[in-house]
Amino acid sequence: MESVIFYIFAAILLFAATMVITVRNPVRAALFLVLAFFTSAGIWLMLEAEFLAISLVLVYVGAVLVLFLFVVMMLDIDLAPLKEGFTRYLPLGIIVAALIVVEMIAVLNAPQFDISAAQATDGSNTKMLGRLLYTVYVYPFEIASVILTVAIVAAITLTLREHHRKLQDPAKQVMVKSADRLRMVDLRSKKQDGEGSES
Amino acid sequence: MLENYLPILLFIIIGIGFGVLPLLAGFVLGPRHPDSEKRSAYECGFEPFEDAHMKFDVRYYLVAILFIIFDLEIAFLFPWAIVLDEIGVFGLLAMFLFLGILVVGFIYEWKKGALEWE
């Protein structure tokens, strides 16, 4: 039963990942990426990596993909010039893909990724993560919050524009007095003083 | 262990069924006689003169990136909440410092007006 569910999830994941790179419309590709993330979260859940699964859904599907969609829509992509250099970039693309395959094989064969060692630990690995992260690795954990704060400042500095903000303050509108709008000038008294040359 | 997730799996399957089955029923049962006029985009009676793809304001991007940052902050809270009784006061203070630094960033973005949408 478990392996049947795994194969269903794996089939959906492979289908979605293939669609991400073959579909022409970038918005559809981003939506297929959502499907791929969901199904890989399901597979991670079956591997008892609950925290990774929930953070994949929460962070990637919830936030990063929204950002992807905004970027795709913001770039205003014209599809015709994108298809032109396909044969020109093909050798470079094949080299990069081959390098990634070699790296993946090297990493997955490493003894640190032995799955039997991970399953031998009893209890949830979210608990083990928490036990280490907030005690032994508390210093990198605080650094992470500093990095996030820097990211807030950087995002605001890069994108916030104040010059085209037209705001009405209702309190100021209500509290205005006639003296703020109108200035009474007595012209005749000036003439009597002999300074009436300015007509 | 994995049996606990069976209700969630059933929930997902039934949810997908609820979404897909009415669409399929409409697709199969409904009459369809498409022609070129029916399939073309309708724009107030005259010829469509613009592509539907248009540029978004960069401020949407700002809201999205601020959302990601606080989303990541929430992701740190989950394992903390599970082991809080084991790591004690030290863990509590560590999380308070973490949240305190992020509150500084939050105050900055509030005062800067990044959360205002005219």
Side-chain angles (χ1 to χ4, degrees):
Chain A
M1 185 60 200
E2 215 169 274
S3 60
V4 170
I5 297 172
F6 170 77
Y7 280 120
I8 292 171
F9 271 127
I12 297 172
L13 176 58
L14 282 179
F15 165 75
T18 317
M19 291 305 269
V20 170
I21 56 170
T22 51
V23 141
R24 289 282 164 83
N25 190 335
V27 177
R28 281 185 199 160
L31 291 176
F32 272 111
L33 199 56
V34 172
L35 182 62
F37 279 151
F38 257 116
T39 43
S40 43
I43 288 174
W44 283 356
L45 204 60
M46 295 182 71
L47 291 171
E48 300 186 10
E50 288 96 351
F51 181 67
L52 275 181
I54 193 67
S55 49
L56 187 71
V57 172
L58 195 77
V59 176
Y60 278 83
V61 178
V64 173
L65 254 299
V66 175
L67 198 69
F68 270 27
L69 281 175
F70 279 142
V71 168
V72 162
M73 289 171 177
M74 208 153 50
L75 287 178
D76 196 16
I77 296 171
D78 193 10
L79 288 176
L82 283 180
K83 292 173 202 157
E84 279 172 3
F86 182 72
T87 47
R88 196 150 54 89
Y89 296 125
L90 191 60
L92 186 66
I94 288 175
I95 290 171
V96 171
L99 272 179
I100 290 174
V101 168
V102 169
E103 280 179 1
M104 292 282 279
I105 290 170
V107 164
L108 290 177
N109 281 335
Q112 288 87 349
F113 283 84
D114 188 10
I115 196 160
S116 57
Q119 282 171 341
T121 58
D122 53 334
S124 88
N125 54 23
T126 314
K127 229 170 200 173
M128 304 186 63
L129 190 71
R131 254 176 238 147
L132 280 178
L133 184 61
Y134 306 106
T135 51
V136 182
Y137 297 107
V138 68
Y139 188 57
F141 169 65
E142 305 298 347
I143 297 271
S145 81
V146 175
I147 291 172
L148 287 177
T149 309
V150 170
I152 293 175
V153 175
I156 290 172
T157 325
L158 283 175
T159 57
L160 190 67
R161 306 202 177 126
E162 304 220 26
H163 52 262
H164 59 77
R165 292 163 62 88
K166 289 179 182 168
L167 279 174
Q168 290 280 16
D169 189 355
K172 277 185 185 165
Q173 285 179 315
V174 170
M175 302 215 339
V176 75
K177 292 191 194 76
S178 61
D180 300 333
R181 292 279 186 267
L182 188 71
R183 189 162 59 94
M184 300 292 283
V185 183
D186 200 345
L187 286 174
R188 203 171 43 182
S189 65
K190 278 188 180 175
K191 244 175 193 172
Q192 280 176 347
D193 290 343
E195 296 169 16
S197 57
E198 65 225 73
S199 72
Chain B
M1 183 65 206
L2 277 177
E3 310 85 74
N4 298 337
Y5 293 111
L6 188 64
I8 296 176
L9 185 69
L10 291 178
F11 206 84
I12 290 172
I13 292 170
I14 292 172
I16 290 173
F18 252 89
V20 170
L21 283 180
L23 283 176
L24 265 182
F27 191 76
V28 173
L29 298 174
R32 271 180 304 143
H33 307 289
D35 58 50
S36 65
E37 281 303 310
K38 271 188 190 171
R39 295 170 72 94
S40 65
Y42 179 77
E43 190 167 329
C44 296
F46 47 81
E47 295 288 312
F49 49 80
E50 210 177 355
D51 201 16
H53 299 271
M54 54 177 209
K55 287 183 184 171
F56 271 63
D57 196 326
V58 75
R59 284 184 303 159
Y60 291 96
Y61 182 80
L62 177 63
V63 172
I65 208 162
L66 292 175
F67 172 65
I68 286 182
I69 287 162
F70 289 104
D71 212 31
L72 280 170
E73 176 192 338
I74 293 169
F76 276 107
L77 283 171
F78 284 125
W80 175 77
I82 289 177
V83 295
L84 185 57
D85 52 344
E86 293 177 31
I87 53 180
V89 179
F90 183 78
L92 194 70
L93 290 178
M95 182 49 83
F96 274 2
L97 183 59
F98 178 84
L99 292 179
I101 294 169
L102 275 164
V103 163
V104 172
F106 181 61
I107 291 170
Y108 174 79
E109 87 181 49
W110 191 317
K111 288 289 169 196
K112 199 83 177 167
L115 299 172
E116 305 269 333
W117 197 270
E118 10 212 276

